[in-house]
Coordinates of all heavy atoms in Angstrom, one line a residue:
T9 N -5.9 -14.8 15.5 CA -4.7 -14.3 14.8 C -5.0 -14.2 13.3 O -5.5 -15.1 12.7 CB -3.5 -15.2 15.0 OG1 -3.3 -15.4 16.4 CG2 -2.3 -14.7 14.3
R10 N -4.7 -13.0 12.7 CA -4.9 -12.8 11.3 C -3.7 -12.1 10.7 O -3.0 -11.3 11.4 CB -6.1 -11.8 11.0 CG -7.4 -12.2 11.7 CD -8.4 -11.1 11.5 NE -9.5 -11.2 12.5 CZ -10.8 -11.2 12.1 NH1 -11.1 -11.2 10.9 NH2 -11.7 -11.3 13.1
L11 N -3.4 -12.4 9.4 CA -2.4 -11.6 8.7 C -3.1 -10.5 7.9 O -4.0 -10.7 7.2 CB -1.7 -12.6 7.7 CG -0.9 -13.8 8.3 CD1 -0.3 -14.7 7.3 CD2 0.2 -13.3 9.3
L12 N -2.5 -9.3 8.1 CA -3.1 -8.1 7.4 C -2.4 -7.8 6.1 O -1.2 -8.1 6.0 CB -3.1 -6.9 8.4 CG -3.8 -7.1 9.7 CD1 -3.9 -5.7 10.4 CD2 -5.3 -7.6 9.5
A13 N -3.1 -7.2 5.2 CA -2.5 -6.8 4.0 C -1.5 -5.6 4.3 O -1.8 -4.8 5.2 CB -3.5 -6.3 3.0
P14 N -0.4 -5.5 3.6 CA 0.6 -4.4 3.9 C -0.1 -3.0 3.7 O 0.3 -2.1 4.3 CB 1.7 -4.7 2.9 CG 1.6 -6.1 2.6 CD 0.1 -6.5 2.6
L15 N -1.0 -3.0 2.8 CA -1.7 -1.7 2.4 C -3.2 -1.7 2.9 O -4.0 -1.0 2.3 CB -1.6 -1.4 0.9 CG -0.1 -1.4 0.4 CD1 -0.1 -1.2 -1.1 CD2 0.6 -0.2 1.0
D16 N -3.5 -2.4 3.9 CA -4.8 -2.5 4.5 C -5.2 -1.1 4.9 O -4.5 -0.3 5.4 CB -4.9 -3.4 5.7 CG -6.3 -3.8 6.0 OD1 -7.0 -3.0 6.5 OD2 -6.6 -5.0 5.8
T17 N -6.5 -0.8 4.7 CA -7.0 0.6 5.1 C -6.8 0.8 6.6 O -6.6 2.0 6.9 CB -8.5 0.7 4.8 OG1 -9.2 -0.4 5.4 CG2 -8.8 0.7 3.3
A18 N -6.8 -0.2 7.4 CA -6.5 0.0 8.8 C -5.1 0.5 9.1 O -4.8 1.1 10.2 CB -6.7 -1.3 9.6
L19 N -4.2 0.4 8.1 CA -2.8 0.8 8.2 C -2.5 2.0 7.4 O -1.3 2.4 7.3 CB -1.9 -0.4 7.9 CG -2.2 -1.7 8.6 CD1 -1.3 -2.8 8.0 CD2 -2.0 -1.6 10.1
W20 N -3.4 2.7 6.8 CA -3.1 3.8 5.8 C -2.4 4.9 6.5 O -1.5 5.5 5.9 CB -4.4 4.3 5.3 CG -4.8 3.6 4.0 CD1 -4.2 2.6 3.4 CD2 -6.0 4.0 3.2 NE1 -4.9 2.2 2.2 CE2 -6.0 3.1 2.1 CE3 -7.0 4.9 3.3 CZ2 -7.0 3.1 1.1 CZ3 -8.0 5.0 2.3 CH2 -8.0 4.1 1.2
D21 N -2.7 5.2 7.7 CA -2.2 6.4 8.5 C -1.1 5.8 9.5 O -1.5 5.3 10.5 CB -3.3 7.1 9.2 CG -2.8 8.4 9.8 OD1 -1.6 8.6 10.0 OD2 -3.6 9.3 10.0
R22 N 0.1 6.0 9.1 CA 1.2 5.5 10.0 C 1.1 6.1 11.4 O 1.4 5.4 12.4 CB 2.6 5.8 9.4 CG 3.0 4.9 8.2 CD 4.4 5.2 7.8 NE 4.9 4.3 6.8 CZ 4.7 4.5 5.5 NH1 4.0 5.5 5.0 NH2 5.2 3.6 4.6
R23 N 0.8 7.4 11.5 CA 0.8 8.0 12.8 C -0.4 7.5 13.6 O -0.2 7.3 14.9 CB 0.7 9.5 12.7 CG 0.8 10.2 14.0 CD 1.0 11.7 13.8 NE 0.8 12.5 15.0 CZ 0.8 13.8 15.1 NH1 0.8 14.5 14.0 NH2 0.6 14.4 16.2
L24 N -1.5 7.2 13.0 CA -2.6 6.6 13.7 C -2.2 5.2 14.3 O -2.5 4.9 15.4 CB -3.9 6.5 12.8 CG -5.0 5.7 13.3 CD1 -5.7 6.3 14.6 CD2 -6.1 5.5 12.3
V25 N -1.6 4.4 13.4 CA -1.2 3.1 13.8 C -0.2 3.1 15.0 O -0.3 2.3 15.9 CB -0.5 2.3 12.6 CG1 0.0 1.0 13.0 CG2 -1.6 2.1 11.5
D26 N 0.6 4.1 15.0 CA 1.6 4.3 16.1 C 0.8 4.7 17.4 O 1.0 4.2 18.5 CB 2.6 5.3 15.8 CG 3.7 5.5 16.9 OD1 4.1 4.5 17.4 OD2 4.0 6.6 17.2
D27 N -0.1 5.7 17.2 CA -0.9 6.2 18.4 C -1.7 5.1 19.0 O -1.9 5.1 20.2 CB -1.8 7.4 18.0 CG -1.0 8.7 17.8 OD1 0.2 8.8 18.3 OD2 -1.6 9.7 17.3
V28 N -2.3 4.3 18.2 CA -3.3 3.3 18.7 C -2.6 2.0 19.1 O -2.9 1.4 20.1 CB -4.4 3.1 17.6 CG1 -5.3 1.9 18.1 CG2 -5.2 4.3 17.4
F29 N -1.7 1.5 18.2 CA -1.1 0.2 18.5 C 0.3 0.3 19.0 O 0.9 -0.8 19.4 CB -1.2 -0.6 17.2 CG -2.5 -1.0 16.7 CD1 -3.1 -0.2 15.7 CD2 -3.2 -2.0 17.3 CE1 -4.4 -0.5 15.2 CE2 -4.5 -2.3 16.8 CZ -5.1 -1.6 15.8
G30 N 1.0 1.4 18.9 CA 2.4 1.5 19.2 C 3.2 0.6 18.2 O 4.2 0.0 18.6
F31 N 2.8 0.7 16.9 CA 3.4 -0.2 15.9 C 3.9 0.6 14.8 O 3.2 1.5 14.3 CB 2.3 -1.2 15.5 CG 2.7 -2.3 14.5 CD1 3.3 -3.5 15.0 CD2 2.5 -2.1 13.2 CE1 3.7 -4.5 14.1 CE2 2.9 -3.1 12.3 CZ 3.5 -4.3 12.7
Y32 N 5.1 0.3 14.3 CA 5.6 1.0 13.1 C 5.2 0.2 11.9 O 5.6 -0.9 11.7 CB 7.1 1.1 13.2 CG 7.8 1.5 11.9 CD1 7.6 2.8 11.5 CD2 8.6 0.7 11.2 CE1 8.2 3.3 10.3 CE2 9.2 1.1 10.0 CZ 9.0 2.4 9.6 OH 9.6 2.9 8.4
R33 N 4.4 0.9 11.0 CA 4.0 0.3 9.8 C 5.1 0.4 8.7 O 5.3 1.4 8.1 CB 2.7 1.0 9.2 CG 2.0 0.1 8.2 CD 1.2 1.0 7.2 NE 2.1 1.4 6.1 CZ 1.8 2.0 5.0 NH1 0.5 2.4 4.9 NH2 2.6 2.3 4.1
A34 N 5.8 -0.8 8.6 CA 6.9 -0.8 7.7 C 6.4 -1.2 6.3 O 5.7 -2.2 6.2 CB 8.0 -1.8 8.2
F35 N 6.8 -0.5 5.3 CA 6.5 -0.9 3.9 C 7.8 -0.7 3.1 O 8.1 0.5 2.8 CB 5.4 -0.1 3.3 CG 4.9 -0.6 1.9 CD1 4.3 -1.8 1.8 CD2 5.0 0.2 0.8 CE1 3.9 -2.3 0.6 CE2 4.6 -0.2 -0.4 CZ 4.1 -1.5 -0.6

């Protein structure tokens, strides 16, 4: 388990995050 930065490069593209993780990147 890790806590990610809100603006981590892995989360830059909201649509990618949704496509891969099914997760809404809220900022």
Side-chain angles (χ1 to χ4, degrees):
T9 306
R10 311 175 196 232
L11 298 177
L12 300 187
L15 301 174
D16 197 289
T17 53
L19 307 174
W20 271 2
D21 188 338
R22 285 184 172 89
R23 187 169 169 188
L24 170 66
V25 174
D26 183 43
D27 281 348
V28 173
F29 295 99
F31 185 84
Y32 170 65
R33 197 210 84 173
F35 188 65

